[in-house]
Every structure is written in C-alpha cells, then in structure tokens.
Amino acid sequence: GTKKKTACPGLGLFYTVLSAFLFSVASLFLKKIEDVHSVEVSAFRCVFQMAFVLPGLIYYKTGFLGPKGKRIFLFFRGLLGSSAMILLYYAFQVMPLADATVITFSSPVFTSLLAWIFLKEKYSVWDFVFTLFAITGVILIARPPFLFGSRVSGIEGSYTDHLKGTIAAIASTVSAALTFVILRKVGKSVHYFLSIWYYAVIGLIGCVIALFVMNEWRLPYCGKDRVFLILIGLLGLGGQIFLTKALQIEKAGPVAIMKTMDVVFAFILQIIFLNHLPTWWTVGGALCVVASSSGTAIRKWRQSLKKAKQNEI
C-alpha cells in the first residue's frame, strides 16, 4: 500500500503566526499611506481578492452565484465581511495601530454571543464572563471622558477621531462576528472560493459607490502610496491564504489562541516604525481582550474534543 505522508508538527501554528505577521505589516503600510481614503484602499484590496479567486472559481466549476437556497446568505456574508474590512481600515487610519487591533481581536467573544442569539448555540456563564472581559478591554482603550475625565493621553490626533475610530473598530468586530455566524449557518455546502468571491464583488461595488458619493476617488499622488496599495493587497491576500491553510491542517482552538500574535506584532510595529508608545490603559485593555478571546477559544476547543470522544464511543 501507499505510505501516508507524515504531517509536519506545528506547521499549522507556524502558518497562523505568518498570517498574523502579514496582516500586521499590511496594517502598518495602511498607516503610512497619506493621501488615500480607507474606502479606496478597501476597493484595491477587493480587486486583488477577485483576481485571486476568479481562476479558482473557473477551475472548481462552482459558478458565480452559488446554490439558489444559499445566495441570500452569501450576499449578507459579502456585505458584512466587506463592511468589516472598510470599517477596520478606517479605524487603522485614525487611531493607534495597537488600539484598533486589540478591539477587533474581541471578535470571537461577540461570535459566541451572536451564535447563541441566531443559531441557538449554547452560551454558558463562562461565555458571559469572557464577554465582560472583552467589553472592559474596549472601554480601557476607548477611555470615554465620563469615566476617565476630559484629558485623555496616548491617542493620535483629536479625541473625536479616536472615538470615531473606536466606534468603527467595534462595528467592524460585530460585522466580522456576524460573518462567522453566517459561515457557520452555510457550513460546507458552499465552496470557500465562492464565499470570498461574494465578499470581493459586493465590497468593490459598495466601495465604488461610496467613493463617488463622498467624491474621494483619486489616484495616489506619489509613487510610495501606490507601492503601499499593492503591498497591502498582496499581504492581505497572503495572510488570508496562510490562515486558511492553518485551519485546514490544525484544530481551530490552537489557531485561535496563536492568533493573539496579531496583537503582539501590532504593539511591536507601532513602537518601532510609528514611534508611538502604547499607554498602560492600552496594555491593560489588550490583556483583557486577549484573555477573553483565548478563554473562548480554549472552551470551544475542549468542547469539540469532548464531542469527538463521545462520537468515537
């Protein structure tokens, strides 16, 4: 018989770390862009996604619309996923890199809450505790004046921009959580490429409409910004590919825990390349959010292992 190829131990976790690094560097380049609106950056990202996915759709013969009963779910997956990307890019542009990354990292906690509401999945006392931890972390980063006073230190620009970025990051997190709930609902009945295709097409249409309404569409003035746009598209695509490969060969629990490297890389890049030291409030908020998301991931992982053992019996 043929010998089964031995899997490289830890390869999935390595892919996760590499994915986190690529996403973090893409976020850093986004901070370095000076004359391009976040919606336009999102449009370029969608174009790269479409260019990557189109050959896959043709090769796997999935079609461009998907099964009739699943199209409405795919539409909302595309709408919410692209909205999460646009809001995240806006948050990166108007607030510190680490702050925006930490807030969006609370997505697993909101996913558990929304899955309980819409999919009737179990929501325990521990899930509620992790949700409170995540909310506490977000409050420590946002630092609303009615709790922390009128003088807020450690932010970029005005507090108004910081607050707008915080709201955008939270909205991005909730949109991403809703996207995960829809993907769970759809399951494996729809090919992964088709899901990304809806995400890219709907995102591009939405970005183009928004840019014309805001009259913000313009090519970057300098060659540096154009290079950054291309790199953001390539790095974002690479990060998504490695994260997908990680989930294919490794359990979701360890991957979710290892994704905490997103926060670590964000802090390192912000300090080295943006010369912006995070405040102790941000560090405290990061610890709360990382603890809550890691706790959620570990619980889900243990539940899946327990269910697998019961099925074997």
Side-chain angles (χ1 to χ4, degrees), residues 42-54 57 74-75 77-79 81-83 85-86 192-208 237 240:
S42 303
F44 276 95
R45 170 77 184 273
C46 289
V47 170
F48 273 93
Q49 298 273 49
M50 290 173 66
F52 167 73
V53 171
L54 185 58
L57 292 178
L74 286 169
F75 171 79
R77 180 268 183 272
L79 182 64
S82 57
S83 299
M85 173 184 63
I86 295 167
Y192 175 73
F193 277 137
L194 193 60
S195 177
I196 301 179
W197 175 254
Y198 267 82
Y199 168 92
V201 171
I202 293 175
L204 181 60
I205 294 171
C207 287
V208 170
L237 186 58
Q240 195 165 45

Side-chain angles (χ1 to χ4, degrees), residues 44 48 51 64-65 99-100 119 219 229 288:
F44 276 95
F48 273 93
F64 296 97
L65 297 177
D99 290 20
L119 302 180
L219 287 173
L229 276 174
C288 287

Side-chain angles (χ1 to χ4, degrees), residues 148-161:
F148 294 84
S150 56
R151 297 183 66 184
V152 181
S153 60
I155 63 174
E156 289 181 1
S158 66
Y159 181 76
T160 303
D161 285 339

Side-chain angles (χ1 to χ4, degrees), residues 256-267:
I257 296 168
M258 191 58 69
K259 264 190 69 61
T260 54
M261 291 302 296
D262 282 45
V263 178
V264 176
F265 286 133
F267 274 92

